[in-house]
Amino acid sequence: MAFPAPDPVPSPDPVPAPDLASLQRRLVAFAASRQWEPYHTPKNLAAALSVEAAELLEIFQWSTPEEAERVMDDPQAAHRVEDEVADVLAYLLQFCARLGVDPLTALSAKIDRNEVRFPVGRPQGRADRHSTE
Protein backbone atom coordinates (compact mmCIF):
# COMPACT_ATOMS: atom_id res chain seq x y z
CA MET A 1 0.00 0.00 0.00
CA ALA A 2 1.41 3.37 -1.00
CA PHE A 3 1.26 6.18 1.47
CA PRO A 4 0.53 9.68 0.26
CA ALA A 5 3.45 12.07 0.26
CA PRO A 6 3.48 14.28 3.32
CA ASP A 7 2.50 17.88 2.92
CA PRO A 8 5.58 19.98 2.29
CA VAL A 9 6.81 21.86 5.31
CA PRO A 10 6.26 25.54 4.69
CA SER A 11 9.56 27.31 4.33
CA PRO A 12 10.20 30.21 6.65
CA ASP A 13 9.81 33.64 5.17
CA PRO A 14 12.98 34.49 3.33
CA VAL A 15 15.16 37.05 4.99
CA PRO A 16 14.83 40.27 3.01
CA ALA A 17 17.98 41.42 1.31
CA PRO A 18 19.56 44.39 3.03
CA ASP A 19 19.39 47.67 1.20
CA LEU A 20 22.47 49.42 -0.15
CA ALA A 21 22.32 52.28 2.36
CA SER A 22 22.23 49.94 5.38
CA LEU A 23 25.17 47.95 4.02
CA GLN A 24 27.09 51.15 3.45
CA ARG A 25 26.40 52.26 7.04
CA ARG A 26 27.57 48.87 8.34
CA LEU A 27 30.80 49.12 6.38
CA VAL A 28 31.48 52.65 7.63
CA ALA A 29 30.75 51.58 11.22
CA PHE A 30 32.93 48.48 10.82
CA ALA A 31 35.89 50.58 9.67
CA ALA A 32 35.27 53.25 12.33
CA SER A 33 35.16 50.71 15.15
CA ARG A 34 38.60 49.51 14.07
CA GLN A 35 39.91 53.06 13.60
CA TRP A 36 40.64 52.47 9.91
CA GLU A 37 39.33 55.83 8.66
CA PRO A 38 42.82 57.37 8.33
CA TYR A 39 43.68 54.60 5.86
CA HIS A 40 40.40 54.77 3.95
CA THR A 41 41.40 57.71 1.78
CA PRO A 42 39.81 57.98 -1.67
CA LYS A 43 43.11 56.91 -3.25
CA ASN A 44 43.50 53.87 -0.99
CA LEU A 45 39.89 52.81 -1.43
CA ALA A 46 40.14 53.17 -5.22
CA ALA A 47 43.33 51.09 -5.18
CA ALA A 48 41.71 48.42 -3.01
CA LEU A 49 38.69 48.37 -5.34
CA SER A 50 41.00 47.83 -8.30
CA VAL A 51 42.82 44.99 -6.55
CA GLU A 52 39.57 43.25 -5.66
CA ALA A 53 38.27 43.63 -9.23
CA ALA A 54 41.52 42.03 -10.42
CA GLU A 55 40.98 39.15 -7.99
CA LEU A 56 37.52 38.64 -9.51
CA LEU A 57 39.07 38.63 -12.96
CA GLU A 58 41.69 36.12 -11.83
CA ILE A 59 38.96 33.50 -11.32
CA PHE A 60 38.28 33.64 -15.06
CA GLN A 61 41.90 33.85 -16.21
CA TRP A 62 42.57 31.26 -18.91
CA SER A 63 38.91 30.18 -18.99
CA THR A 64 37.19 29.67 -22.27
CA PRO A 65 33.98 31.67 -22.73
CA GLU A 66 32.04 28.45 -22.18
CA GLU A 67 33.90 27.68 -18.94
CA ALA A 68 33.30 31.21 -17.72
CA GLU A 69 29.56 30.84 -18.35
CA ARG A 70 29.51 27.71 -16.16
CA VAL A 71 31.60 29.09 -13.27
CA MET A 72 28.66 29.16 -10.87
CA ASP A 73 28.03 25.44 -11.45
CA ASP A 74 31.10 24.61 -9.32
CA PRO A 75 30.31 25.36 -5.65
CA GLN A 76 33.93 26.22 -4.81
CA ALA A 77 34.29 28.58 -7.79
CA ALA A 78 30.86 30.08 -7.09
CA HIS A 79 31.91 30.82 -3.52
CA ARG A 80 35.08 32.55 -4.76
CA VAL A 81 33.06 34.64 -7.22
CA GLU A 82 30.59 35.67 -4.53
CA ASP A 83 33.41 36.60 -2.12
CA GLU A 84 35.17 38.75 -4.73
CA VAL A 85 31.92 40.41 -5.78
CA ALA A 86 31.33 41.21 -2.10
CA ASP A 87 34.84 42.65 -1.77
CA VAL A 88 34.41 44.81 -4.88
CA LEU A 89 31.05 46.10 -3.70
CA ALA A 90 32.32 46.71 -0.16
CA TYR A 91 35.19 48.89 -1.35
CA LEU A 92 32.96 50.69 -3.85
CA LEU A 93 30.42 51.50 -1.14
CA GLN A 94 33.14 52.69 1.24
CA PHE A 95 34.64 54.82 -1.55
CA CYS A 96 31.23 56.36 -2.27
CA ALA A 97 30.60 57.02 1.43
CA ARG A 98 33.97 58.73 1.78
CA LEU A 99 33.32 61.04 -1.20
CA GLY A 100 29.58 61.54 -0.68
CA VAL A 101 28.61 59.83 -3.94
CA ASP A 102 25.20 58.15 -4.06
CA PRO A 103 26.04 55.05 -6.14
CA LEU A 104 22.46 54.45 -7.30
CA THR A 105 21.99 58.07 -8.38
CA ALA A 106 25.37 57.99 -10.16
CA LEU A 107 24.43 54.75 -11.95
CA SER A 108 21.02 56.08 -12.98
CA ALA A 109 22.58 59.25 -14.41
CA LYS A 110 25.16 57.20 -16.31
CA ILE A 111 22.46 54.97 -17.80
CA ASP A 112 20.57 58.11 -18.87
CA ARG A 113 23.68 59.45 -20.62
CA ASN A 114 24.39 56.08 -22.27
CA GLU A 115 20.83 55.88 -23.61
CA VAL A 116 21.51 59.14 -25.44
CA ARG A 117 25.04 58.17 -26.52
CA PHE A 118 24.05 54.70 -27.73
CA PRO A 119 20.53 54.92 -29.17
CA VAL A 120 18.67 51.77 -30.12
CA GLY A 121 19.23 50.85 -33.75
CA ARG A 122 22.59 52.58 -34.06
CA PRO A 123 24.93 50.49 -36.21
CA GLN A 124 27.43 48.43 -34.26
CA GLY A 125 31.17 48.51 -34.81
CA ARG A 126 31.58 52.24 -35.18
CA ALA A 127 34.90 53.67 -34.07
CA ASP A 128 33.27 56.58 -32.22
CA ARG A 129 31.19 54.21 -30.11
CA HIS A 130 33.77 54.00 -27.40
CA SER A 131 34.55 57.65 -26.90
CA THR A 132 35.66 58.52 -23.41
CA GLU A 133 33.17 59.90 -20.92
Side-chain angles (χ1 to χ4, degrees), residues 1-5:
M1 170 177 220
F3 294 99

Side-chain angles (χ1 to χ4, degrees), residues 13-94:
D13 290 335
V15 177
D19 63 278
L20 217 50
S22 68
L23 291 173
Q24 195 168 35
R25 286 190 300 274
R26 281 183 65 192
L27 288 164
V28 169
F30 181 88
S33 68
R34 288 152 181 82
Q35 298 163 347
W36 290 349
E37 296 106 326
Y39 310 105
H40 283 196
T41 65
K43 178 195 79 68
N44 288 350
L45 291 168
L49 175 59
S50 177
V51 168
E52 295 302 338
E55 289 179 8
L56 178 60
L57 178 59
E58 182 182 31
I59 296 167
F60 297 93
Q61 187 176 16
W62 313 120
S63 296
T64 65
E66 295 77 21
E67 290 167 337
E69 288 291 334
R70 294 189 310 268
V71 71
M72 300 305 282
D73 295 343
D74 172 16
Q76 186 175 359
H79 180 71
R80 286 182 61 210
V81 168
E82 290 171 353
D83 274 358
E84 296 308 334
V85 165
D87 289 342
V88 168
L89 185 56
Y91 279 118
L92 179 61
L93 291 177
Q94 291 174 88

Side-chain angles (χ1 to χ4, degrees), residues 100-120:
V101 173
D102 179 331
L104 296 180
T105 299
L107 176 57
S108 180
K110 182 66 176 188
I111 292 170
D112 290 345
R113 288 191 306 276
N114 282 342
E115 287 174 338
V116 171
R117 287 179 60 212
F118 306 107
V120 174

